Amino acid sequence: MTGKPGQRQTGLRRTLSKTWTCYLFILPNMLGVLVFLAYPIVYSFYVSLTRWDFVSPPRFVGLDNYVRLFTGDRLFWVSMRVTVTYVLMYVPAVLVAALILALAMNQKLRGIKFVRTAIFVPVVTSMVAVAIVWVWLLSKDFGLINIALRAVGLPGVGWLTNQKTALPAIAAVGVWKSMGYNAIILFAALQSVPRLLYEAAEIDGANSWHKFWNVTIPMIAPAIVFVTVTSIIGAFQVFDQAFIMTGGGPGDATYVYNFYFFRQAFGQLKMGYASAMSYILFLIMFASAIVQLRLTREAAAAAF
Amino acid sequence: MKHVLSRRRLLKSAATASGLAFLSACAPASPTQTPAGEGVATTAPQAEATPQPTSGTQAATKLRVFFGANPEEAATRQIIFDSFTEANPDITIVPEIPTQNTTEALLTQVAGGDPPDVVMAWELQYPILAEKGVYKDLGPIIDADGTYKTEVLPDFYQSHIEMYTWKGKLYVLPEQNASVVLYYNKKLFDEAGLPYPPSDWKDTSWTWERFLDACRRLTKKEGDQVVQYGWTEAWWPPLSAVVFGYSNGGHWFDRYMDPTKVTLTDPKMVDAFQFYADLWNKESVATSPEQWKVQAGYQMFAAGKAAMTLVGHWFYPEFSKPEHELSMDIGVFPIGPGGTTSKTDLGGTGMAITAMTKHPDEAWRFLRFECGPEGQKIIARSGLFAPTLRSVANSEDFLGTHSALEHAEVFNTAMDNAVMFPIGPAWDAMADRLGRNLDLLWNGQATAAEAMATAQAEMQQALDETRAG
């Protein structure tokens, strides 16, 4: 059938006349996204190709910033190594911690509702407050953690002043802060696993471990992927703990990527250089998200 | 944390010592400030305190003045603003107090094309902004103002004027003398039966040996717990150690105005840094990095738990509060075996006019008041800052206000025994490398020689990069 253009237009107009209020409703949000998200993203890519100090106009230098980052900047590599190490410590730890919490929350126990709420308290607390409290907790002389260690006869550790323990310490604080949030996501997934599957597994003679491994895990796999991807992205952006608890030190121990980025941008006013750094971080996170999504899709395909 | 000190703000951005970040981070926003997120909070001048222009004249020019201050400092400043507007009813002062990193807040406004008219400037931070053309060259303005040029300008400490002259242009007028001195608790010295530290910069009997002995005898233990220390760090440890190095005849740069070469591994500097770190790592007579993390050094001194510390006048308002019941005085630093006289740093902040200001004339009228005899006198009497004009500094206006100190003149004599810190746009980059590498010395994980060799190499690289542009 050959439709007349006029008719199609009328169709579109009809649709629009029915839905324009919907567009109107999302318009403020879309404008916000365009002005405060899309525009800065595009503009900062342009800035990454310039030298700009905030005061004089940006000067176009092509890929110079990127070349200098990769070839002549020791601290770039140092901060990259520190950040990747942080990601490798933080992501598995937060995943396991959140999963254990979620499984605990899924038990029908007295007072579990209170626990579910309490778990979320660190999530809604500001990172600055959390970091300051943990500086106290981790203190070698007066910190609760070291007091506990000494009580069982172990020597105290200067968690934040020792080069070896500073990064694991801030990673632990990161895990403590965000495990509640991730646990809630996994908990929601656990609650939506049909009881039927467990009953079927029981009939087949599965024990608890089998049920967990063969029913629970595959069923909540999408939630696990979500938690992993968002945790990796979050971990690459670690900043607050390093800024407040260790100042990037001692030595290079907690000199995370965003800390170096922050100093370049607001300490040394190299906005172009800093923008190039943020674009590199963006590409890394983008690539890792794609890889993970593909891997899980393959895993899911293999499982069924 | 009670106090956000302007000096601390400087260091928050200048340095990255975690202790400092911690302090700044827990500083409450002053009641006049907007919640976090906003770069700058604008406080409205108190209505009853601001004289309105007499009817019939034009509306008053609004002059925006940007400065870092805690609530108490802001209140004192308001007194100065009020006396200025009383004499200049055609100008209204709009104070702007950044709630975060001052450089960042200022630059955001400059980038937005709407900077304040008058801005506070810190000695270590101003060159990077001067290089970028944020400030107006004050030279021609002063040349056009005969009385100021002949009567006021020569009254400043000339080292300050030299420090604020970047590549031949004077950008900042000195407002505050912020060189550090040695504060000591007289009561604790009396209890230990020790003579007070001297106030004469040339007193060669005040040696490291005597200082260390005093620290040991001022340190008290109850069981395993140290309940009183001889010394506490209350500033930024690398700079404190540099002051000890200066008093040991050491130098950490080839020159201090626009330096080209880092000489941190100067043996006299290395000895001083090792001596300083040994105070807690070896001798246990000073608070350690672990303690800095949980309690600010100035609180240890204010609470009478440390007998000596090193800070500038900026802590005097806190230390002299009646609630601390401190019986204290100020003196000079011990002279190291490599030094001949006691030395301190040349510290200070000042006021500058932004290049983009739409009210250059009004801005200058404010600046010449604030950094002139009238403003400095009010500053001196209020106890806000140590003044920068010799005539005011040595007057009863200042010394009388500081009668709690027997030797308040040490703030002034410091200026004749002061060595600059490196003044140049690479400071922030160098401070970052300095601070982190020296953490290892303070934590006892490296010797001074090791930590300083790495720091020197990294600082030199940062300096070269900045100079290359």
Side-chain angles (χ1 to χ4, degrees):
Chain A
M1 198 190 99
T2 52
K4 291 176 194 163
Q7 274 183 331
R8 262 216 302 267
Q9 224 173 6
T10 321
L12 181 66
R13 194 172 295 160
R14 195 174 297 149
T15 320
L16 264 180
S17 71
K18 278 184 192 159
T19 56
W20 69 274
T21 40
C22 307
Y23 288 106
L24 202 61
F25 273 117
I26 63 165
L27 184 68
N29 239 328
M30 283 310 292
L31 277 178
V33 167
L34 285 175
V35 173
F36 296 111
L37 223 59
Y39 171 70
I41 287 173
V42 175
Y43 187 68
S44 66
F45 179 69
Y46 164 69
V47 170
S48 80
L49 304 175
T50 68
R51 281 208 187 174
W52 185 40
D53 61 15
F54 253 155
V55 182
S56 25
R59 187 158 54 84
F60 189 81
V61 292
L63 291 173
D64 188 49
N65 288 326
Y66 293 92
V67 172
R68 287 207 294 167
L69 270 171
F70 282 110
T71 55
D73 190 341
R74 188 189 75 90
L75 281 176
F76 168 76
W77 294 107
V78 166
S79 63
M80 191 58 94
R81 179 183 42 104
V82 170
T83 307
V84 170
T85 315
Y86 178 88
V87 171
L88 292 176
M89 286 176 186
Y90 168 86
V91 175
V94 79
L95 196 59
V96 170
L99 191 55
I100 291 171
L101 270 181
L103 290 170
M105 284 153 76
N106 205 23
Q107 303 302 309
K108 288 186 182 64
L109 297 171
R110 273 173 67 91
I112 197 68
K113 279 195 177 150
F114 171 76
V115 175
R116 283 175 198 165
T117 314
I119 292 296
F120 213 69
V121 170
V123 179
V124 293
T125 311
S126 110
M127 191 67 209
V128 174
V130 166
I132 289 169
V133 169
W134 276 91
V135 166
W136 280 84
L137 287 171
L138 292 166
S139 158
K140 186 176 184 183
D141 302 318
F142 328 102
L144 265 182
I145 291 169
N146 279 310
I147 289 173
L149 283 179
R150 276 196 292 270
V152 297
L154 292 167
V157 180
W159 296 103
L160 298 174
T161 50
N162 187 307
Q163 264 189 301
K164 293 201 180 74
T165 54
L167 192 65
I170 68 164
V173 174
V175 169
W176 182 82
K177 169 97 167 77
S178 54
M179 62 185 182
Y181 173 77
N182 292 314
I184 294 287
I185 293 167
L186 295 178
F187 170 66
L190 283 176
Q191 295 237 307
S192 64
V193 179
R195 281 242 33 98
L196 215 67
L197 292 176
Y198 291 112
E199 283 159 16
E202 275 159 27
I203 290 164
D204 286 346
N207 61 24
S208 317
W209 174 249
H210 286 138
K211 280 191 286 181
F212 172 71
W213 199 244
N214 295 316
V215 179
T216 311
I217 291 289
M219 289 307 288
I220 65 167
I224 291 177
V225 173
F226 177 80
V227 167
T228 312
V229 173
T230 52
S231 295
I232 288 178
I233 290 171
F236 267 109
Q237 294 173 321
V238 57
F239 173 74
D240 309 32
Q241 298 112 289
F243 185 69
I244 294 159
M245 299 174 72
T246 57
D252 294 336
T254 58
Y255 204 68
V256 293
Y257 194 81
N258 269 0
F259 194 90
Y260 186 43
F261 159 80
F262 171 80
R263 297 219 63 85
Q264 288 290 334
F266 299 109
Q268 292 152 55
L269 318 181
K270 296 182 180 169
M271 299 313 288
Y273 203 69
S275 296
M277 284 187 71
S278 64
Y279 257 88
I280 291 170
L281 188 62
F282 165 73
L283 287 179
I284 290 171
M285 291 194 290
F286 191 70
S288 69
I290 288 180
V291 169
Q292 286 166 75
L293 288 172
R294 180 149 304 166
L295 282 180
T296 29
R297 210 173 295 146
E298 280 167 18
F304 292 104
Chain B
M1 201 91 350
K2 269 179 97 176
H3 244 59
V4 202
L5 288 124
S6 50
R7 190 71 185 176
R8 168 113 17 91
R9 275 177 194 281
L10 146 73
L11 286 168
K12 183 187 171 187
S13 44
T16 60
S18 53
L20 287 165
F22 162 62
L23 291 176
S24 327
C26 58
S30 89
T32 51
Q33 290 167 344
T34 54
E38 288 277 32
V40 171
T42 303
T43 52
Q46 292 153 2
E48 74 277 6
T50 312
Q52 296 303 311
T54 40
S55 56
T57 59
Q58 311 173 262
T61 305
K62 281 194 177 132
L63 199 66
R64 292 160 59 201
V65 179
F66 175 100
F67 58 94
N70 65 33
E72 288 167 38
E73 289 171 345
T76 314
R77 282 210 179 252
Q78 192 60 48
I79 302 173
I80 306 171
F81 297 156
D82 291 344
S83 8
F84 173 74
T85 43
E86 210 170 305
N88 299 274
D90 59 323
I91 300 175
T92 309
I93 302 286
V94 182
E96 293 190 357
I97 305 170
T99 53
Q100 38 164 281
N101 181 323
T102 48
T103 310
E104 185 184 333
L106 178 59
L107 279 168
T108 313
Q109 295 187 63
V110 172
D114 187 27
D117 304 291
V118 174
V119 293
M120 184 171 177
W122 286 260
E123 82 281 55
L124 290 169
Q125 286 175 313
Y126 93 88
I128 196 167
L129 298 172
E131 284 268 285
K132 301 192 183 313
V134 171
Y135 306 129
K136 208 178 237 336
D137 175 9
L138 297 177
I141 304 174
I142 294 173
D143 283 340
D145 189 330
T147 17
Y148 193 87
K149 190 179 181 179
T150 53
E151 284 168 28
V152 183
L153 201 62
D155 196 18
F156 283 118
Y157 298 101
Q158 289 313 295
S159 47
H160 267 154
I161 297 295
E162 190 194 329
M163 180 165 73
Y164 294 131
T165 303
W166 182 250
K167 299 197 171 155
K169 287 178 179 159
L170 177 65
Y171 288 111
V172 179
L173 282 182
E175 190 199 14
Q176 151 176 217
N177 158 13
S179 292
V180 294
V181 294
L182 181 119
Y183 283 74
Y184 59 92
N185 184 320
K186 290 207 282 195
K187 188 170 137 243
L188 302 185
F189 270 79
D190 289 343
E191 282 171 8
L194 286 165
Y196 299 146
S199 57
D200 175 6
W201 297 87
K202 296 186 172 57
D203 187 339
T204 48
S205 72
W206 183 225
T207 59
W208 280 3
E209 215 172 297
R210 214 184 112 197
F211 169 79
L212 181 57
D213 179 60
C215 284
R216 285 178 184 147
R217 289 165 60 183
L218 287 160
T219 300
K220 276 193 202 158
K221 274 187 163 186
E222 270 172 24
D224 282 353
Q225 284 286 13
V226 179
V227 291
Q228 178 186 314
Y229 287 93
W231 179 265
T232 184
E233 170 63 48
W235 195 23
W236 193 46
L239 293 186
S240 302
V242 163
V243 170
F244 273 73
Y246 285 161
S247 298
N248 191 34
H251 283 288
W252 58 319
F253 283 88
D254 58 340
R255 59 180 199 220
Y256 292 104
M257 281 311 292
D258 196 14
T260 64
K261 205 163 175 288
V262 189
T263 61
L264 189 63
T265 52
D266 171 353
K268 288 176 177 179
M269 272 291 163
V270 175
D271 288 349
F273 276 63
Q274 191 66 56
F275 176 78
Y276 196 66
D278 283 349
L279 290 179
W280 54 87
N281 281 333
K282 197 168 134 206
E283 301 285 343
S284 306
V285 295
T287 53
S288 69
E290 285 288 344
Q291 284 157 306
W292 308 339
K293 275 200 179 293
V294 293
Q295 184 166 28
Y298 84 87
Q299 292 175 331
M300 295 293 283
F301 183 80
K305 287 182 187 164
M308 289 183 275
T309 191
L310 167 163
V311 281
H313 178 275
W314 67 87
F315 266 126
Y316 177 81
E318 174 66 31
F319 291 159
S320 59
K321 280 185 184 160
E323 70 222 47
H324 297 310
E325 296 174 354
L326 271 186
S327 145
M328 61 169 172
D329 204 355
I330 56 170
V332 303
F333 302 109
I335 302 172
T340 51
T341 63
S342 181
K343 294 278 182 201
T344 183
D345 72 306
L346 182 68
T349 69
M351 283 284 179
I353 300 176
T354 49
M356 286 165 84
T357 180
K358 290 183 196 82
H359 312 291
D361 297 335
E362 287 84 355
W364 171 244
R365 276 162 61 197
F366 176 72
L367 220 66
R368 81 193 297 285
F369 176 89
E370 180 90 9
C371 306
E374 296 141 296
Q376 286 283 306
K377 243 176 235 168
I378 304 170
I379 287 175
R381 276 193 225 124
S382 69
L384 177 66
F385 297 144
T388 48
L389 288 172
R390 280 180 192 270
S391 60
V392 180
N394 293 310
S395 72
E396 265 313 288
D397 287 316
F398 178 64
L399 299 175
T401 311
H402 294 72
S403 53
L405 303 175
E406 204 176 316
H407 294 101
E409 78 278 3
V410 173
F411 286 125
N412 302 332
T413 56
M415 303 306 292
D416 301 317
N417 295 279
V419 183
M420 269 186 222
F421 284 141
I423 303 299
W427 170 251
D428 185 87
M430 289 196 295
D432 177 39
R433 281 124 177 115
L434 176 68
R436 285 182 299 105
N437 282 299
L438 286 180
D439 279 348
L440 303 181
L441 168 61
W442 314 138
N443 299 342
Q445 290 162 15
T447 64
E450 291 160 358
M452 291 163 85
T454 325
Q456 172 169 311
E458 290 193 15
M459 287 164 74
Q460 185 66 52
Q461 200 189 357
L463 181 59
D464 291 343
E465 274 172 25
T466 307
R467 289 180 63 82

